[in-house]
Amino acid sequence: LAKTTQPISMDSYEGQEVNITCSHNNIATNDYITWYQQFPSQGPRFIIQGYKTKVTNEVASLFIPADRKSSTLSLPRVSLSDTAVYYCLVGEITDKLIFGTGTRLQVFP
Amino acid sequence: NAGVTQTPKFQVLKTGQSMTLQCAQDMNHNSMYWYRQDPGMGLRLIYYSASEGTTDKGEVPNGYNVSRLNKREFSLRLESAAPSQTSVYFCASTLFVGRAYEQYFGPGTRLTVT
């Protein structure tokens, strides 16, 4: 199972771009990289998923280098409502996914 | 679509009592999951069901049983609750698109065992 390492916490200000990097050195060939967002007292919410290069949706971008040993979640122009915990998960199928403690993002006015 | 629903939202049990947490999804997903989340921690997988009629253990199955009643419903039972089972319990289901997948979570059940 691919273990992930991400910063415990990050601070930012409204309007800034936030990049959260996740390290996954032992990622397997068939593993996808998935990011979730969790607000207090709510279940996690899927943000974005990718296999290689760059993926973009209406919420975020995911950058994956060629060796796939790390990935970076990019949140453009964050707002106060982006304050949450962000989880990086790596795996082929969901029953093998392991949630770590995530990155606690605090956005200040 | 209601997505993933869970009942009850809150529950307080005494040590040794039993209860069943209910989960249902209306998205026609095959796979369903039960997680627990302790304060300040990530989610840990308790049990999962890859399809109707099958269940498998996750990381922390001890003290729990599950039933995949049909494609929609996946219940989690605590036979003899212990204070260590105080946690927030999340149910989830997964949509597979080719090799990619997206997991949908319910709102959670907050359980306190005294």
Side-chain angles (χ1 to χ4, degrees), chain A residues 39-107:
Chain A
F39 297 115
S41 302
Q42 294 186 25
R45 183 176 74 102
F46 175 94
I47 301 175
I48 198 166
Q49 184 179 80
Y51 183 79
K52 61 180 179 181
T53 64
K54 176 184 174 183
V55 179
T56 298
N57 61 22
E58 64 277 7
V59 176
S61 294
L62 178 59
F63 298 92
I64 305 168
D67 66 6
R68 303 201 328 123
K69 293 184 184 299
S70 66
S71 59
T72 299
L73 173 73
S74 180
L75 304 172
R77 297 179 298 283
V78 295
S79 64
L80 295 175
S81 63
D82 291 315
T83 293
V85 178
Y86 293 83
Y87 294 97
C88 162
L89 290 95
V90 172
E92 182 180 2
I93 49 176
T94 45
D95 52 277
K96 299 300 183 187
L97 297 180
I98 296 177
F99 280 81
T101 52
T103 297
R104 194 169 298 273
L105 173 65
Q106 179 70 54
V107 180

Side-chain angles (χ1 to χ4, degrees), chain B residues 2 47 59-60 85-86 101:
Chain B
Y47 270 95
E59 290 177 82
V60 289
Q85 294 177 306
T86 293
Y101 51 84

Side-chain angles (χ1 to χ4, degrees), chain B residues 40-51:
Chain B
M41 305 294 287
L43 283 75
R44 291 184 292 171
L45 183 63
I46 305 171
Y47 270 95
Y48 64 96
S49 171
S51 61

